[in-house]
Amino acid sequence: MGAPPAPLAPRARLFPSLAAVYRAQLSRARVARIPLLFVATFQSVGIMVLMRGVVDGGSEARAVVAGSSVLVVAFVALNLLAQYFGQLRAGGGLDHYATLPVPPAAVVLGAAGAYASFTVPGTIVTAVAGSVLFGLPLTHLWVLVAVIPLSGAALSGLGAALGLLAPRQELATLLGQLGMSAALLLGVLPADRLPAPVGWARDLLPSTYGVEALSRSFDAHPDWTVVALDLAVCAVVGVLSLAVATWAYRRAAVR
């Protein structure tokens, strides 16, 4: 009789695998994406400077500052992540990840978390600069502690899903840029200035609820219940979009 087969190694646990992928992606993004983060921040600050010439204050100023701040998240977490996964899929990089003993969810969540974390400095700089530029209070900017991760989760999940589901790399890049353009146009412009059909499209965009939460925090006495509801929408969309992205990764990796 032959020797009994050696027992298989235990399956990798989700959270240690997620932490390892997150650290690896963050290190890679720090080297490759810092110039693009400067571009995203400079773009948002430039938009606010331009809008300062036509907006004096009030709700319009709050919309411009909040929309420009969340735009940094959209540029990195949605646009760049869609390009990254599209490129990874087209270049065979998913085959490399598929050979690693880590759960598919760890790969998607680790990459999405790293890209979302990478938006923190640019979003804070934009929000503070915009508040000073338009004379808005800085008192409640602590709400960024919730706006950045929840908006980042929703937008990075959407970006990863676009990159993994697009049939071609070029299409993934196009969809990511279209999503960022929608976040720009529908987030920076005040909602009451938009035509009704465009307003409905704005309601479907997950970044809208991060913009609304940040915009309401500029009030002297914010309605925190409404702010919490806006953030809850971001959280729900984040969970759903990341689940879709995980399913799309598993589907693409086994083909």
Side-chain angles (χ1 to χ4, degrees), residues 53-75:
V54 295
V55 172
D56 293 329
S59 62
E60 295 180 347
R62 294 195 290 270
V64 170
V65 175
S68 299
S69 301
V70 176
L71 179 62
V72 178
V73 183
F75 184 92

Side-chain angles (χ1 to χ4, degrees), residues 6 8 10-11 26 42 52 65 72 78 91 94 122 131 137 152 185 205 207-208 237 245:
L8 296 176
R11 296 183 62 182
L26 197 63
F42 182 79
R52 186 67 182 87
V65 175
V72 178
L78 193 160
L94 288 183
S131 299
L185 296 174
L205 199 65
S207 60
T208 296
V237 174

Side-chain angles (χ1 to χ4, degrees), residues 119-149:
T119 67
V120 173
T123 306
I124 294 174
V125 167
T126 303
V128 172
S131 299
V132 173
L133 187 64
F134 286 91
L136 298 175
L138 300 170
T139 310
H140 300 127
L141 275 187
W142 57 263
V143 79
L144 286 172
V145 172
V147 169
I148 294 175

Side-chain angles (χ1 to χ4, degrees), residues 43 67 70-83 151 154-160 162-163 170-188 201-202 204-208 211:
Q43 170 185 261
V70 176
L71 179 62
V72 178
V73 183
F75 184 92
V76 177
L78 193 160
N79 181 29
L80 295 186
L81 198 57
Q83 293 183 36
S151 297
L155 293 172
S156 60
L158 183 60
L162 291 176
E170 295 81 3
L171 191 55
T173 300
L174 175 64
L175 292 174
Q177 292 181 346
L178 286 176
M180 188 201 66
S181 299
L184 166 61
L185 296 174
L186 302 180
V188 173
R202 182 178 185 272
L204 295 175
L205 199 65
S207 60
T208 296
V211 172

